[in-house]
Amino acid sequence: MPRAKPAIATIGAAVALCAAAAMLLAESTPQSAAASAEARAVAFLSIEVPRWPAENRCFSCHNNGDAARALYAAIRHGREVAPAALADTYDWLRRPDAWDDNALGESFSDTVLARIQFAGALVSAIEAGHDDARPALERAAVLVSSDQREDGSWRLDSSGSIGSPATYGTSLATWAALRALRADDPGRHTGAIVRGGHWLRAREVTTVLEAASVVLGLGRDTDGGAGAQRQRCLRLIVDGEAPSGGWGAYLTSRTEPFDTALVVLALRPLLDAPELLAPTLTPDRTRALVSRGRAFLLTEQLDDGSWVETTRPPGQQSYAQYVSTTGWATLALLETADLP
């Protein structure tokens, strides 16, 4: 589907009000480069998240999954988000039993991916203070768990390629699925979590995208298998950084907003557990990597608050990848806003 700019007149008064509130937020935010970038990204997503269901009469993994997750993260970090931006999405997320009957748009239809991405947004809603969504997460976690393969991974219909902002790929999907199960109840999903962990430890990682995904999936696990795999992934991330900062999917591919955002998101939690970085990285070197990644994202942001979509192969047009890329980049800026 060709990328399109917002068409507020076609959405209705509620979304128009949302857009106006978001733009006022952007104008009132302190004018440091990072704060202004965050505000513009939140303003953009506050328009785009409700736009898809309003215009297409269905909910999408990119708008109401990835992008909604970024808006919930903004709320968790104390940023103001207009209520109209997430009202319909939140009602949808609390109805997991309806997810499989939803039209997923024109690009692709993958119920496994939809369950994972909607469950991820539901987790973020709870993290943002919506405790009343926990019963819905319990039902969503059952759906997600049922899609796990025998080898412990979550494979998608669209995962024949390396993966992308909207299509994930196996490693990122496995991390996202495990995130939902852990957020629901680790005890209730012990078997699935253990199998997923075994898969992450055994995965032969050859790309930056997979390295970042596996680091996210391993979390703060400290067993020998997790430690060895984490170090392999960190070495690949270090080797894959471009001279000016930023990462692409492969060691030698051009830098992309999505891949850079994913690396930044993978490295940030390790700064709170520096013992997991050694011997490949030190906290100071990790902060420098994150700082250069943030700088790349700030440089690449468009005037309207979005980022050019990361696609496989690069240089294509895709509305789904456009919105998801912006969601991932926004998340990366929000999660590292506390760093100098």
mmCIF file of all heavy atoms in Angstrom, residues 149-192:
data_model
loop_
_atom_site.group_PDB
_atom_site.id
_atom_site.type_symbol
_atom_site.label_atom_id
_atom_site.label_comp_id
_atom_site.label_asym_id
_atom_site.label_seq_id
_atom_site.Cartn_x
_atom_site.Cartn_y
_atom_site.Cartn_z
ATOM 1 N N ARG A 149 6.160 -22.885 18.222
ATOM 2 C CA ARG A 149 6.572 -24.090 17.501
ATOM 3 C C ARG A 149 7.249 -25.073 18.458
ATOM 4 O O ARG A 149 7.662 -24.711 19.570
ATOM 5 C CB ARG A 149 7.536 -23.714 16.374
ATOM 6 C CG ARG A 149 6.920 -22.841 15.301
ATOM 7 C CD ARG A 149 5.815 -23.560 14.537
ATOM 8 N NE ARG A 149 5.295 -22.749 13.446
ATOM 9 C CZ ARG A 149 5.716 -22.826 12.185
ATOM 10 N NH1 ARG A 149 6.705 -23.650 11.868
ATOM 11 N NH2 ARG A 149 5.179 -22.065 11.253
ATOM 12 N N GLU A 150 7.397 -26.300 18.006
ATOM 13 C CA GLU A 150 8.014 -27.326 18.844
ATOM 14 C C GLU A 150 9.435 -26.969 19.242
ATOM 15 O O GLU A 150 9.911 -27.364 20.310
ATOM 16 C CB GLU A 150 7.994 -28.676 18.121
ATOM 17 C CG GLU A 150 6.602 -29.276 17.984
ATOM 18 C CD GLU A 150 6.640 -30.670 17.391
ATOM 19 O OE1 GLU A 150 7.757 -31.191 17.165
ATOM 20 O OE2 GLU A 150 5.562 -31.236 17.142
ATOM 21 N N ASP A 151 10.149 -26.226 18.387
ATOM 22 C CA ASP A 151 11.533 -25.871 18.707
ATOM 23 C C ASP A 151 11.633 -24.709 19.685
ATOM 24 O O ASP A 151 12.728 -24.317 20.082
ATOM 25 C CB ASP A 151 12.331 -25.563 17.436
ATOM 26 C CG ASP A 151 11.839 -24.316 16.700
ATOM 27 O OD1 ASP A 151 10.877 -23.664 17.177
ATOM 28 O OD2 ASP A 151 12.421 -23.991 15.650
ATOM 29 N N GLY A 152 10.490 -24.131 20.091
ATOM 30 C CA GLY A 152 10.481 -23.045 21.069
ATOM 31 C C GLY A 152 10.320 -21.675 20.476
ATOM 32 O O GLY A 152 10.158 -20.689 21.214
ATOM 33 N N SER A 153 10.359 -21.553 19.156
ATOM 34 C CA SER A 153 10.273 -20.245 18.501
ATOM 35 C C SER A 153 8.842 -19.930 18.080
ATOM 36 O O SER A 153 7.944 -20.777 18.161
ATOM 37 C CB SER A 153 11.180 -20.214 17.274
ATOM 38 O OG SER A 153 10.665 -21.061 16.259
ATOM 39 N N TRP A 154 8.657 -18.713 17.627
ATOM 40 C CA TRP A 154 7.415 -18.296 16.991
ATOM 41 C C TRP A 154 7.761 -17.913 15.555
ATOM 42 O O TRP A 154 8.497 -16.959 15.318
ATOM 43 C CB TRP A 154 6.797 -17.116 17.718
ATOM 44 C CG TRP A 154 5.982 -17.494 18.908
ATOM 45 C CD1 TRP A 154 4.620 -17.612 18.968
ATOM 46 C CD2 TRP A 154 6.451 -17.782 20.240
ATOM 47 N NE1 TRP A 154 4.215 -17.973 20.227
ATOM 48 C CE2 TRP A 154 5.309 -18.085 21.036
ATOM 49 C CE3 TRP A 154 7.713 -17.837 20.822
ATOM 50 C CZ2 TRP A 154 5.408 -18.416 22.379
ATOM 51 C CZ3 TRP A 154 7.817 -18.166 22.157
ATOM 52 C CH2 TRP A 154 6.675 -18.458 22.935
ATOM 53 N N ARG A 155 7.260 -18.666 14.598
ATOM 54 C CA ARG A 155 7.533 -18.405 13.183
ATOM 55 C C ARG A 155 6.300 -17.797 12.545
ATOM 56 O O ARG A 155 5.174 -18.149 12.877
ATOM 57 C CB ARG A 155 7.936 -19.687 12.452
ATOM 58 C CG ARG A 155 9.209 -20.311 12.987
ATOM 59 C CD ARG A 155 9.607 -21.525 12.156
ATOM 60 N NE ARG A 155 10.631 -22.299 12.836
ATOM 61 C CZ ARG A 155 11.924 -22.021 12.810
ATOM 62 N NH1 ARG A 155 12.350 -20.984 12.128
ATOM 63 N NH2 ARG A 155 12.798 -22.767 13.463
ATOM 64 N N LEU A 156 6.527 -16.895 11.596
ATOM 65 C CA LEU A 156 5.449 -16.156 10.972
ATOM 66 C C LEU A 156 5.323 -16.528 9.504
ATOM 67 O O LEU A 156 6.294 -16.938 8.859
ATOM 68 C CB LEU A 156 5.709 -14.650 11.096
ATOM 69 C CG LEU A 156 6.063 -14.158 12.504
ATOM 70 C CD1 LEU A 156 6.416 -12.681 12.468
ATOM 71 C CD2 LEU A 156 4.915 -14.406 13.471
ATOM 72 N N ASP A 157 4.123 -16.334 8.964
ATOM 73 C CA ASP A 157 3.924 -16.569 7.533
ATOM 74 C C ASP A 157 4.832 -15.681 6.703
ATOM 75 O O ASP A 157 5.240 -16.031 5.604
ATOM 76 C CB ASP A 157 2.468 -16.286 7.149
ATOM 77 C CG ASP A 157 1.512 -17.310 7.746
ATOM 78 O OD1 ASP A 157 1.987 -18.372 8.183
ATOM 79 O OD2 ASP A 157 0.304 -17.032 7.783
ATOM 80 N N SER A 158 5.157 -14.512 7.248
ATOM 81 C CA SER A 158 5.945 -13.521 6.509
ATOM 82 C C SER A 158 7.422 -13.557 6.862
ATOM 83 O O SER A 158 8.162 -12.656 6.509
ATOM 84 C CB SER A 158 5.397 -12.120 6.807
ATOM 85 O OG SER A 158 5.384 -11.890 8.204
ATOM 86 N N SER A 159 7.874 -14.595 7.577
ATOM 87 C CA SER A 159 9.239 -14.591 8.118
ATOM 88 C C SER A 159 10.254 -15.267 7.213
ATOM 89 O O SER A 159 11.305 -15.689 7.655
ATOM 90 C CB SER A 159 9.257 -15.253 9.498
ATOM 91 O OG SER A 159 8.843 -16.599 9.404
ATOM 92 N N GLY A 160 9.950 -15.382 5.921
ATOM 93 C CA GLY A 160 10.941 -15.944 5.014
ATOM 94 C C GLY A 160 12.125 -15.028 4.820
ATOM 95 O O GLY A 160 13.217 -15.458 4.483
ATOM 96 N N SER A 161 11.936 -13.711 5.043
ATOM 97 C CA SER A 161 13.020 -12.751 4.931
ATOM 98 C C SER A 161 13.638 -12.518 6.300
ATOM 99 O O SER A 161 13.222 -13.102 7.301
ATOM 100 C CB SER A 161 12.495 -11.429 4.362
ATOM 101 O OG SER A 161 11.636 -10.808 5.300
ATOM 102 N N ILE A 162 14.613 -11.640 6.335
ATOM 103 C CA ILE A 162 15.300 -11.353 7.590
ATOM 104 C C ILE A 162 14.377 -10.755 8.640
ATOM 105 O O ILE A 162 14.591 -10.897 9.831
ATOM 106 C CB ILE A 162 16.488 -10.396 7.318
ATOM 107 C CG1 ILE A 162 17.280 -10.154 8.601
ATOM 108 C CG2 ILE A 162 16.017 -9.101 6.700
ATOM 109 C CD1 ILE A 162 18.480 -9.290 8.403
ATOM 110 N N GLY A 163 13.325 -10.090 8.214
ATOM 111 C CA GLY A 163 12.437 -9.399 9.140
ATOM 112 C C GLY A 163 12.507 -7.902 8.929
ATOM 113 O O GLY A 163 13.459 -7.380 8.353
ATOM 114 N N SER A 164 11.483 -7.217 9.391
ATOM 115 C CA SER A 164 11.368 -5.774 9.183
ATOM 116 C C SER A 164 10.527 -5.185 10.293
ATOM 117 O O SER A 164 10.022 -5.921 11.157
ATOM 118 C CB SER A 164 10.720 -5.512 7.814
ATOM 119 O OG SER A 164 9.362 -5.909 7.841
ATOM 120 N N PRO A 165 10.334 -3.861 10.314
ATOM 121 C CA PRO A 165 9.567 -3.260 11.404
ATOM 122 C C PRO A 165 8.176 -3.852 11.590
ATOM 123 O O PRO A 165 7.711 -4.017 12.713
ATOM 124 C CB PRO A 165 9.490 -1.788 10.998
ATOM 125 C CG PRO A 165 10.670 -1.565 10.132
ATOM 126 C CD PRO A 165 10.891 -2.849 9.408
ATOM 127 N N ALA A 166 7.482 -4.154 10.500
ATOM 128 C CA ALA A 166 6.109 -4.639 10.586
ATOM 129 C C ALA A 166 5.989 -6.148 10.486
ATOM 130 O O ALA A 166 4.974 -6.708 10.892
ATOM 131 C CB ALA A 166 5.249 -3.985 9.501
ATOM 132 N N THR A 167 7.012 -6.829 9.955
ATOM 133 C CA THR A 167 6.910 -8.281 9.771
ATOM 134 C C THR A 167 7.771 -9.071 10.751
ATOM 135 O O THR A 167 7.674 -10.299 10.798
ATOM 136 C CB THR A 167 7.297 -8.679 8.342
ATOM 137 O OG1 THR A 167 8.668 -8.329 8.098
ATOM 138 C CG2 THR A 167 6.419 -7.990 7.316
ATOM 139 N N TYR A 168 8.625 -8.401 11.511
ATOM 140 C CA TYR A 168 9.401 -8.952 12.617
ATOM 141 C C TYR A 168 10.435 -9.992 12.200
ATOM 142 O O TYR A 168 11.619 -9.766 12.359
ATOM 143 C CB TYR A 168 8.472 -9.541 13.682
ATOM 144 C CG TYR A 168 7.850 -8.518 14.603
ATOM 145 C CD1 TYR A 168 7.621 -7.213 14.184
ATOM 146 C CD2 TYR A 168 7.472 -8.863 15.891
ATOM 147 C CE1 TYR A 168 7.041 -6.275 15.019
ATOM 148 C CE2 TYR A 168 6.891 -7.936 16.743
ATOM 149 C CZ TYR A 168 6.671 -6.647 16.309
ATOM 150 O OH TYR A 168 6.098 -5.717 17.135
ATOM 151 N N GLY A 169 10.059 -11.164 11.713
ATOM 152 C CA GLY A 169 10.992 -12.263 11.562
ATOM 153 C C GLY A 169 11.015 -13.103 12.833
ATOM 154 O O GLY A 169 10.512 -12.707 13.881
ATOM 155 N N THR A 170 11.618 -14.288 12.778
ATOM 156 C CA THR A 170 11.479 -15.272 13.854
ATOM 157 C C THR A 170 12.073 -14.802 15.177
ATOM 158 O O THR A 170 11.451 -14.943 16.229
ATOM 159 C CB THR A 170 12.123 -16.603 13.427
ATOM 160 O OG1 THR A 170 11.514 -17.047 12.208
ATOM 161 C CG2 THR A 170 11.932 -17.665 14.486
ATOM 162 N N SER A 171 13.274 -14.253 15.167
ATOM 163 C CA SER A 171 13.929 -13.887 16.430
ATOM 164 C C SER A 171 13.185 -12.772 17.152
ATOM 165 O O SER A 171 12.967 -12.836 18.371
ATOM 166 C CB SER A 171 15.378 -13.466 16.157
ATOM 167 O OG SER A 171 16.134 -14.549 15.679
ATOM 168 N N LEU A 172 12.783 -11.739 16.412
ATOM 169 C CA LEU A 172 12.070 -10.640 17.053
ATOM 170 C C LEU A 172 10.688 -11.087 17.504
ATOM 171 O O LEU A 172 10.216 -10.691 18.568
ATOM 172 C CB LEU A 172 11.970 -9.457 16.093
ATOM 173 C CG LEU A 172 11.418 -8.152 16.690
ATOM 174 C CD1 LEU A 172 12.272 -7.683 17.856
ATOM 175 C CD2 LEU A 172 11.337 -7.063 15.619
ATOM 176 N N ALA A 173 10.021 -11.924 16.708
ATOM 177 C CA ALA A 173 8.715 -12.437 17.102
ATOM 178 C C ALA A 173 8.823 -13.272 18.371
ATOM 179 O O ALA A 173 7.946 -13.204 19.253
ATOM 180 C CB ALA A 173 8.111 -13.260 15.974
ATOM 181 N N THR A 174 9.894 -14.049 18.498
ATOM 182 C CA THR A 174 10.073 -14.881 19.688
ATOM 183 C C THR A 174 10.275 -14.012 20.918
ATOM 184 O O THR A 174 9.696 -14.277 21.988
ATOM 185 C CB THR A 174 11.249 -15.846 19.485
ATOM 186 O OG1 THR A 174 10.951 -16.708 18.373
ATOM 187 C CG2 THR A 174 11.501 -16.688 20.722
ATOM 188 N N TRP A 175 11.088 -12.964 20.806
ATOM 189 C CA TRP A 175 11.221 -12.048 21.940
ATOM 190 C C TRP A 175 9.875 -11.426 22.306
ATOM 191 O O TRP A 175 9.494 -11.378 23.488
ATOM 192 C CB TRP A 175 12.200 -10.900 21.615
ATOM 193 C CG TRP A 175 11.969 -9.738 22.535
ATOM 194 C CD1 TRP A 175 12.304 -9.650 23.860
ATOM 195 C CD2 TRP A 175 11.270 -8.520 22.225
ATOM 196 N NE1 TRP A 175 11.873 -8.450 24.389
ATOM 197 C CE2 TRP A 175 11.232 -7.746 23.400
ATOM 198 C CE3 TRP A 175 10.689 -8.011 21.053
ATOM 199 C CZ2 TRP A 175 10.633 -6.488 23.439
ATOM 200 C CZ3 TRP A 175 10.091 -6.764 21.101
ATOM 201 C CH2 TRP A 175 10.065 -6.019 22.281
ATOM 202 N N ALA A 176 9.134 -10.934 21.314
ATOM 203 C CA ALA A 176 7.876 -10.242 21.587
ATOM 204 C C ALA A 176 6.858 -11.185 22.224
ATOM 205 O O ALA A 176 6.106 -10.793 23.123
ATOM 206 C CB ALA A 176 7.322 -9.653 20.293
ATOM 207 N N ALA A 177 6.822 -12.437 21.767
ATOM 208 C CA ALA A 177 5.912 -13.417 22.356
ATOM 209 C C ALA A 177 6.288 -13.696 23.812
ATOM 210 O O ALA A 177 5.420 -13.738 24.700
ATOM 211 C CB ALA A 177 5.930 -14.702 21.540
ATOM 212 N N LEU A 178 7.574 -13.896 24.066
ATOM 213 C CA LEU A 178 8.018 -14.150 25.437
ATOM 214 C C LEU A 178 7.741 -12.961 26.345
ATOM 215 O O LEU A 178 7.402 -13.137 27.522
ATOM 216 C CB LEU A 178 9.511 -14.490 25.438
ATOM 217 C CG LEU A 178 9.898 -15.830 24.823
ATOM 218 C CD1 LEU A 178 11.403 -15.976 24.773
ATOM 219 C CD2 LEU A 178 9.269 -16.997 25.597
ATOM 220 N N ARG A 179 7.865 -11.755 25.815
ATOM 221 C CA ARG A 179 7.545 -10.559 26.602
ATOM 222 C C ARG A 179 6.096 -10.605 27.080
ATOM 223 O O ARG A 179 5.806 -10.288 28.249
ATOM 224 C CB ARG A 179 7.795 -9.302 25.764
ATOM 225 C CG ARG A 179 7.361 -7.996 26.425
ATOM 226 C CD ARG A 179 7.728 -6.811 25.556
ATOM 227 N NE ARG A 179 7.265 -5.546 26.113
ATOM 228 C CZ ARG A 179 6.159 -4.901 25.734
ATOM 229 N NH1 ARG A 179 5.402 -5.413 24.753
ATOM 230 N NH2 ARG A 179 5.798 -3.772 26.300
ATOM 231 N N ALA A 180 5.184 -11.001 26.214
ATOM 232 C CA ALA A 180 3.774 -11.066 26.586
ATOM 233 C C ALA A 180 3.528 -12.148 27.632
ATOM 234 O O ALA A 180 2.778 -11.940 28.601
ATOM 235 C CB ALA A 180 2.923 -11.313 25.346
ATOM 236 N N LEU A 181 4.158 -13.309 27.468
ATOM 237 C CA LEU A 181 3.954 -14.395 28.419
ATOM 238 C C LEU A 181 4.519 -14.040 29.792
ATOM 239 O O LEU A 181 3.902 -14.335 30.828
ATOM 240 C CB LEU A 181 4.605 -15.678 27.900
ATOM 241 C CG LEU A 181 4.085 -16.219 26.562
ATOM 242 C CD1 LEU A 181 4.720 -17.570 26.269
ATOM 243 C CD2 LEU A 181 2.574 -16.310 26.539
ATOM 244 N N ARG A 182 5.664 -13.413 29.817
ATOM 245 C CA ARG A 182 6.267 -13.019 31.094
ATOM 246 C C ARG A 182 5.434 -11.948 31.776
ATOM 247 O O ARG A 182 5.296 -11.943 33.007
ATOM 248 C CB ARG A 182 7.691 -12.518 30.861
ATOM 249 C CG ARG A 182 8.687 -13.617 30.479
ATOM 250 C CD ARG A 182 9.963 -13.044 29.902
ATOM 251 N NE ARG A 182 10.971 -14.063 29.636
ATOM 252 C CZ ARG A 182 11.953 -13.928 28.765
ATOM 253 N NH1 ARG A 182 12.073 -12.803 28.047
ATOM 254 N NH2 ARG A 182 12.819 -14.897 28.573
ATOM 255 N N ALA A 183 4.876 -11.039 30.990
ATOM 256 C CA ALA A 183 4.066 -9.971 31.579
ATOM 257 C C ALA A 183 2.761 -10.507 32.141
ATOM 258 O O ALA A 183 2.226 -9.968 33.119
ATOM 259 C CB ALA A 183 3.775 -8.895 30.529
ATOM 260 N N ASP A 184 2.228 -11.560 31.531
ATOM 261 C CA ASP A 184 0.997 -12.153 32.046
ATOM 262 C C ASP A 184 1.267 -12.867 33.358
ATOM 263 O O ASP A 184 0.816 -12.448 34.418
ATOM 264 C CB ASP A 184 0.400 -13.105 31.010
ATOM 265 C CG ASP A 184 -0.805 -13.852 31.553
ATOM 266 O OD1 ASP A 184 -1.620 -13.218 32.274
ATOM 267 O OD2 ASP A 184 -0.938 -15.061 31.288
ATOM 268 N N ASP A 185 2.024 -13.945 33.308
ATOM 269 C CA ASP A 185 2.342 -14.713 34.514
ATOM 270 C C ASP A 185 3.417 -15.742 34.170
ATOM 271 O O ASP A 185 3.114 -16.753 33.528
ATOM 272 C CB ASP A 185 1.091 -15.425 35.039
ATOM 273 C CG ASP A 185 1.335 -16.150 36.353
ATOM 274 O OD1 ASP A 185 2.510 -16.398 36.700
ATOM 275 O OD2 ASP A 185 0.350 -16.480 37.038
ATOM 276 N N PRO A 186 4.668 -15.482 34.558
ATOM 277 C CA PRO A 186 5.744 -16.431 34.226
ATOM 278 C C PRO A 186 5.458 -17.843 34.717
ATOM 279 O O PRO A 186 5.805 -18.817 34.044
ATOM 280 C CB PRO A 186 6.965 -15.833 34.921
ATOM 281 C CG PRO A 186 6.654 -14.383 35.070
ATOM 282 C CD PRO A 186 5.171 -14.314 35.293
ATOM 283 N N GLY A 187 4.812 -17.969 35.873
ATOM 284 C CA GLY A 187 4.515 -19.291 36.398
ATOM 285 C C GLY A 187 3.515 -20.050 35.549
ATOM 286 O O GLY A 187 3.620 -21.273 35.391
ATOM 287 N N ARG A 188 2.551 -19.332 34.992
ATOM 288 C CA ARG A 188 1.529 -19.978 34.176
ATOM 289 C C ARG A 188 2.087 -20.446 32.836
ATOM 290 O O ARG A 188 1.543 -21.343 32.203
ATOM 291 C CB ARG A 188 0.368 -18.997 33.964
ATOM 292 C CG ARG A 188 -0.813 -19.605 33.238
ATOM 293 C CD ARG A 188 -2.111 -18.860 33.504
ATOM 294 N NE ARG A 188 -1.980 -17.426 33.420
ATOM 295 C CZ ARG A 188 -2.438 -16.573 34.346
ATOM 296 N NH1 ARG A 188 -3.014 -17.028 35.443
ATOM 297 N NH2 ARG A 188 -2.315 -15.269 34.180
ATOM 298 N N HIS A 189 3.176 -19.815 32.382
ATOM 299 C CA HIS A 189 3.723 -20.124 31.064
ATOM 300 C C HIS A 189 5.160 -20.632 31.143
ATOM 301 O O HIS A 189 5.943 -20.443 30.218
ATOM 302 C CB HIS A 189 3.673 -18.871 30.189
ATOM 303 C CG HIS A 189 2.312 -18.262 30.090
ATOM 304 N ND1 HIS A 189 1.280 -18.835 29.388
ATOM 305 C CD2 HIS A 189 1.809 -17.113 30.630
ATOM 306 C CE1 HIS A 189 0.195 -18.067 29.481
ATOM 307 N NE2 HIS A 189 0.492 -17.033 30.227
ATOM 308 N N THR A 190 5.487 -21.297 32.238
ATOM 309 C CA THR A 190 6.873 -21.722 32.459
ATOM 310 C C THR A 190 7.405 -22.557 31.301
ATOM 311 O O THR A 190 8.517 -22.321 30.807
ATOM 312 C CB THR A 190 6.987 -22.524 33.763
ATOM 313 O OG1 THR A 190 6.600 -21.696 34.861
ATOM 314 C CG2 THR A 190 8.417 -23.007 33.973
ATOM 315 N N GLY A 191 6.639 -23.528 30.857
ATOM 316 C CA GLY A 191 7.115 -24.410 29.802
ATOM 317 C C GLY A 191 7.422 -23.665 28.522
ATOM 318 O O GLY A 191 8.479 -23.864 27.908
ATOM 319 N N ALA A 192 6.510 -22.787 28.107
ATOM 320 C CA ALA A 192 6.716 -22.028 26.874
ATOM 321 C C ALA A 192 7.902 -21.088 27.002
ATOM 322 O O ALA A 192 8.694 -20.930 26.055
ATOM 323 C CB ALA A 192 5.452 -21.232 26.533
#
